[in-house]
Amino acid sequence: MSNRVYVGNLSWSTSWQDLKDHMRDAGDVQYAKVLQDRDGRSKGCGIVEFTTVEGAKDAIEKLTDTELKGRKIFVREDREDGKRGGGGGGDRGERGDRGAPSGGGGGGGGGGGEPSSSSGGDAPEPGSQLFIGNLSWETGWQDLKDHFRQIGEVERADVAVGRDGRKKGFGFIRYSTAEDAKKAMDELNGVEFMGRPLEVRLDNKA
């Protein structure tokens, strides 16, 4: 358990200061950040770092399902310390979070490209890979990965790109387990992400 938590289902109007103020109910907050896309728009999720591990634990126990800016948030342990791009500012700035991405590449034309460093090219567990349809054209693989991490550990994320470099509006997510993939289908299919309701189903070609 680390002293960082991932906070999801944030309203688009929530700033890092709003997030920090809300999370202070659990303990002393060192750092708060709302993740943003390249256009500076909120992705609806953020990262909060507490002074202590106990603060992070209390946040998960006490602040999940509490209301912030009109939406019930969820809080869980952040499993990707320092590996995330697309920062949204905070009281300590970017702090070097634009390190090497840990997920899959943006290309691959549907998940068949070069395996990412994190996936190692291993064959996925049966039932652990999902097809994600109806993506907005702005959605990148990191956006997709951040969104689906609210369910469980994402091994790989891809957004399909054509030969002309333009996105095709669909992508793929591979979870560590088929159980997380099923949960994602149950909880995220039809849910709006970056302005469009997603289609989430098993990738039959995996």
Side-chain angles (χ1 to χ4, degrees):
M1 176 79 193
S2 75
N3 62 334
R4 289 164 67 112
V5 295
Y6 175 91
V7 186
N9 203 36
L10 298 176
S11 75
W12 306 122
S13 62
T14 300
S15 68
W16 69 263
Q17 188 67 59
D18 297 327
L19 183 61
K20 183 172 183 176
D21 289 344
H22 187 76
M23 301 304 282
R24 277 189 179 131
D25 288 346
D28 185 31
V29 175
Q30 276 193 306
Y31 172 73
K33 177 164 77 173
V34 173
L35 301 183
Q36 296 179 346
D37 62 21
R38 289 175 184 169
D39 296 327
R41 290 178 297 188
S42 169
K43 293 182 183 179
C45 57
I47 302 297
V48 176
E49 184 176 305
F50 288 89
T51 307
T52 64
V53 172
E54 286 71 25
K57 286 180 179 176
D58 283 348
I60 293 168
E61 292 172 9
K62 297 177 181 177
L63 297 179
T64 292
D65 289 333
T66 57
E67 196 167 290
L68 174 61
K69 294 274 191 175
R71 298 186 71 165
K72 283 190 175 182
I73 62 171
F74 66 84
V75 185
R76 64 167 176 74
E77 182 183 357
D78 178 42
R79 302 190 184 102
E80 290 196 14
D81 288 3
K83 295 180 183 176
R84 190 181 295 95
D91 55 343
R92 284 210 251 141
E94 286 298 284
R95 219 184 53 142
D97 269 359
R98 295 182 182 275
S102 60
E114 291 296 315
S116 70
S117 57
S118 63
S119 71
D122 295 335
E125 177 183 327
S128 66
Q129 186 156 305
L130 300 174
F131 171 89
I132 317 298
N134 201 35
L135 295 177
S136 74
W137 304 118
E138 295 87 28
T139 302
W141 69 263
Q142 186 69 60
D143 303 317
L144 195 62
K145 183 170 187 177
D146 283 337
H147 185 62
F148 279 83
R149 280 179 57 242
Q150 63 186 272
I151 299 297
E153 195 71 31
V154 174
E155 286 193 345
R156 177 169 177 163
D158 284 296
V159 171
V161 179
R163 290 180 181 173
D164 58 1
R166 288 190 291 189
K167 292 167 185 169
K168 295 183 176 181
F170 66 89
F172 300 87
I173 286 286
R174 182 195 298 174
Y175 281 105
S176 301
T177 67
E179 183 181 354
D180 284 342
K182 183 180 185 305
K183 188 178 179 187
M185 284 189 287
D186 292 342
E187 297 187 16
L188 297 181
N189 185 43
V191 173
E192 190 171 297
F193 176 57
M194 295 183 78
R196 302 182 73 165
L198 296 183
E199 176 194 356
V200 182
R201 58 178 169 81
L202 269 182
D203 177 23
N204 297 323
K205 297 178 181 177

